[in-house]
Structures are given as C-alpha cells and as structure tokens.
C-alpha cells in the first residue's frame, strides 16, 4: 500500500510540475506577442502621422491620469458615474496589462 501511495504522489507531483511549466511558457509567449503588438502599433502610428501619435498619446495620458486620480483619491459620498467609470476602468485595465508584462515579458528575447 505504501508503494502505491508513493507512486501516486510522485505522479501527481510530476503532473503538477509539467502543468506549471507549460502554463509558464504559454503566458510568456502571450506576453511576448502582446509586447510585439504594442511595439508594432507604436511604430505604425508614428510612421503614418507623428503629430497624431503625439496628440493621441497626450489624450491617452490625460484619460489615464483622470482614471488614476478617481481611483486613488478619497471617495466622495456620491457614486461614480459616466466618464469617471470609464476612466477608472481604463486605468485599471492598463495597470493590470503593465503588471502582466512586467511579470512575464521581462525575459522576452524576441525583441
């Protein structure tokens, strides 16, 4: 009985280890592809119109700054509505994407 339990434990350990390794490779490839797409978008945007690229980055910065301000300021007694919900959600999405890229794309040697 002890041998069967030990063999089952070793098999479970190997299965979990291989699953973790495969998940890590998939997440790294996904992060590398996302980083490549972001770089391609920036390159194509600058190629077609540098002025519009700078204007778009400025508007995106204002959008994210408003979202960060609404996220981290002391909450008011009233609820968030309209544009504040949009900017807060956008800021949260960008922050989570940046965290994902920081964790998984740091070892990306494709660029």
């Amino acid at each position: 009985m002890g041998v069967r339990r030990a063999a089952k434990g070793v098999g479970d350990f190997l299965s979990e280890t291989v699953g973790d390794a495969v998940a890590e490779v998939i997440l790294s490839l996904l992060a590398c592809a996302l980083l490549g797409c972001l770089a391609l978008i920036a390159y194509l945007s600058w190629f077609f119109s540098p002025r519009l690229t700078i204007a778009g980055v400025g508007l995106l910065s204002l959008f994210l700054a408003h979202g960060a301000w609404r996220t981290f300021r002391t909450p008011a007694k009233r609820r968030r509505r309209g544009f504040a919900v949009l900017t807060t959600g956008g800021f949260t999405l960008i922050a989570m994407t940046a965290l994902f890229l920081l964790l998984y794309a740091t070892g990306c040697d494709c660029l």
Side-chain angles (χ1 to χ4, degrees):
M1 284 246 215
V3 175
R4 287 184 184 175
R5 193 174 351 160
K8 184 177 189 286
V10 169
D12 290 343
F13 172 75
L14 287 175
S15 174
E16 187 176 329
T17 303
V18 169
D20 286 345
V22 168
E24 192 77 26
V25 167
I26 289 172
L27 286 174
S28 294
L29 288 174
L30 183 65
C32 196
L34 178 63
L35 194 61
C37 287
L38 290 174
L40 180 66
I41 288 169
Y43 172 76
L44 290 176
S45 175
W46 187 262
F47 177 75
F48 286 118
S49 177
R51 288 181 183 164
L52 279 178
T53 301
I54 291 173
V57 167
L59 286 175
L60 182 65
S61 297
L62 286 174
F63 178 82
L64 293 176
H66 184 265
W69 177 68
R70 292 294 259 178
T71 300
F72 294 117
R73 73 183 188 106
T74 54
K77 291 182 181 178
R78 60 188 176 101
R79 296 184 344 196
R80 294 182 187 165
R81 294 190 182 188
F83 189 66
V85 171
L86 185 67
T87 59
T88 303
F91 172 74
T92 304
L93 180 68
I94 297 292
M96 290 298 119
T97 303
L99 182 64
F100 173 72
L101 288 175
L102 180 69
L103 291 176
Y104 288 104
T106 52
C108 184
D109 295 330
C110 61
L111 299 177

